[in-house]
Amino acid sequence: MTRLSNWQTRLTSTNAPAAVVLIRAYAGAVFLFEGIQKFLYPDDLGTGRFDKAGIPAPWFFGPMDGAFEIVCGALILAGLLTRLAAAPMVVNMLGALLITKLPILWSDAPLFDGESGWWDFIHESRTDLAQLCGSLFLLIVGAGVYSVDARLNRPAVPAEAGSR
């Protein structure tokens, strides 16, 4: 029991300032809404986009990516298991950058016809880079004081102290 308790405490502990709620709101909302759109517009943003990008088994990876973005985005917004939710989003953003954006550098990006070079790469990568940085930040510092994680880690108040 102690091992699980220590693991949970390490996962949810945070000394981050209240302003972290702004990063959580931005990153969580973008992940949540993009995940939902993968199901609302599968041809353009889900399975169809994964297929056009050359990702194998797009019928599997498109919806899986959308589901991860929805679940992790909601957890990040709530500040619940924030580090655990941020970790797969770091992988998600690295994958998006490597698979869909990096080929822009050498004019071989199926999703971005006619775009090539450093400036097109940076332009098309701006949201992915922001989401990557936000996810890395949350992975490092945790959810901040205005979160479910912080509430779970508050020390218990003894019954006697609360009745005085």
Side-chain angles (χ1 to χ4, degrees):
M1 182 84 173
T2 304
R3 176 180 275 166
L4 181 60
S5 178
N6 288 338
W7 176 82
Q8 182 183 15
T9 300
R10 282 194 308 270
L11 182 66
T12 59
S13 67
T14 180
N15 292 326
V20 171
V21 74
L22 298 172
I23 301 297
R24 279 197 4 252
Y26 165 76
V30 170
F31 283 130
L32 176 65
F33 300 148
E34 287 296 317
I36 290 170
Q37 289 180 81
K38 282 182 174 63
F39 292 100
L40 292 176
Y41 311 108
D43 292 339
D44 294 330
L45 301 174
T47 304
R49 183 175 177 91
F50 278 59
D51 187 36
K52 188 175 179 185
I55 296 171
W59 48 266
F60 174 76
F61 287 111
M64 184 187 81
D65 185 55
F68 264 93
E69 288 179 348
I70 291 168
V71 171
C72 292
L75 288 171
I76 288 169
L77 276 171
L80 175 61
L81 302 173
T82 303
R83 285 188 173 100
L84 186 63
M89 294 301 92
V90 168
V91 174
N92 188 23
M93 290 297 92
L94 287 172
L97 285 163
L98 293 173
I99 294 169
T100 66
K101 307 304 186 308
L102 195 62
I104 294 172
L105 290 174
W106 50 84
S107 305
D108 190 27
L111 297 177
F112 303 98
D113 284 338
E115 295 189 36
S116 67
W118 173 253
W119 294 113
D120 286 339
F121 166 75
I122 288 299
H123 172 73
E124 294 298 344
S125 301
R126 66 194 180 281
T127 304
D128 297 339
L129 290 168
Q131 288 297 98
L132 175 61
C133 290
S135 298
L136 284 168
F137 179 80
L138 293 171
L139 184 64
I140 293 166
V141 304
V145 296
Y146 297 133
S147 67
V148 176
D149 286 349
R151 188 155 178 93
L152 290 173
N153 279 305
R154 284 187 188 152
V157 177
E160 293 175 11
S163 62
R164 291 183 188 180

